[in-house]
Amino acid sequence: MFEGFQPRRGGGAIATLSAMEADLLRSLAAQMVELLRSEAAVQPTGVDPLENLLDFDGPTTVPDDPVLARLFPSAYRDDEESASDFRRFTETQLRDGKATRALGLIEALEEAGLPPQVGDEQLVIDVELDAPEAVEWMKAITDLRLALGVRLGVEQDDEDFWDALPEDDPRVQVHDIYDWLAFLQETLVRAVSGG
């Protein structure tokens, strides 16, 4: 994808992705869905009967996985009880929303012609997104970037560290993907905002 997302006539955005790029996006989104659904919600003990009736059984503690902890930070850092209640009432829905967005990204790629197995390296995929789909993609790409950033240990203003790594360091390739996602996201925002 040489030019990133471009504005689409009538709103939204369009991009031409190589099969490899589209497959990489699909793989990252699938891994996100798997991660979001892998850690079971912690069942609270001593559940209030009304809460049980209304099925407020979401997790009450910060996720163990650092990526999930970053995607679902504590709402009240100085009030553990309020943070626990907030998490119990919201995290399950937030997880579902993030998983749905990642699945939407996968579906859009496959609807655009991405085959289950990429064999033809010359294949290109034209992805067209209307404005609401573009916003969902922006959110999904943000989640993917956060996940990669946490796994890599990316910090603000650490470009010199990444630039100094030798090319054979395996983190370089993953950081290149992280940068590519930033490019993808930036061009998508620009395409949708008309900038």
Side-chain angles (χ1 to χ4, degrees):
M1 183 181 73
F2 302 105
E3 298 177 24
F5 278 95
Q6 302 297 315
R8 187 180 92 162
R9 192 173 307 204
I14 186 169
T16 299
L17 300 162
S18 72
M20 185 185 86
E21 291 167 328
D23 196 41
L24 174 60
L25 264 179
R26 176 174 55 192
S27 174
L28 291 171
Q31 290 174 55
M32 177 62 69
V33 171
E34 184 177 328
L35 176 65
L36 289 166
R37 295 186 173 160
S38 68
E39 192 172 283
V42 177
Q43 297 295 324
T45 56
V47 175
D48 179 276
L50 177 61
E51 290 177 17
N52 192 34
L53 177 68
L54 298 174
D55 194 27
F56 292 124
D57 62 352
T60 59
T61 59
V62 176
D64 292 332
D65 186 289
V67 170
L68 292 174
R70 179 68 175 94
L71 290 172
F72 306 105
S74 182
Y76 302 95
R77 292 181 187 191
D78 297 330
D79 185 346
E80 192 173 318
E81 184 177 343
S82 294
S84 176
D85 284 343
F86 184 82
R87 184 174 301 282
R88 180 172 25 145
F89 298 130
T90 62
E91 187 173 315
T92 299
Q93 292 167 329
L94 292 172
R95 279 181 189 243
D96 288 346
K98 289 177 182 299
T100 298
R101 281 190 288 278
L103 288 169
L105 192 147
I106 293 168
E107 288 171 12
L109 292 168
E110 291 176 351
E111 287 173 8
L114 181 63
Q117 298 293 321
V118 176
D120 180 5
E121 293 183 19
Q122 302 302 315
L123 179 68
V124 293
I125 309 297
D126 290 326
V127 178
E128 291 189 49
L129 306 172
D130 62 24
E133 290 169 329
V135 170
E136 294 301 298
W137 270 56
M138 287 178 211
K139 293 175 183 179
I141 293 170
T142 296
D143 292 341
L144 297 176
R145 288 190 68 232
L146 282 172
L148 281 179
V150 168
R151 292 285 190 244
L152 284 169
V154 172
E155 296 180 12
Q156 188 171 350
D157 300 323
D158 68 350
E159 293 85 11
D160 291 340
F161 169 79
W162 296 103
D163 292 341
L165 286 177
E167 286 297 317
D168 61 347
D169 189 309
R171 295 173 294 177
V172 170
Q173 262 190 328
V174 180
H175 193 268
D176 287 346
I177 294 169
Y178 175 84
D179 283 343
W180 176 71
L181 288 172
F183 168 75
L184 201 64
Q185 187 174 43
E186 179 183 335
T187 61
L188 180 54
V189 168
R190 220 175 318 148
V192 171
S193 65

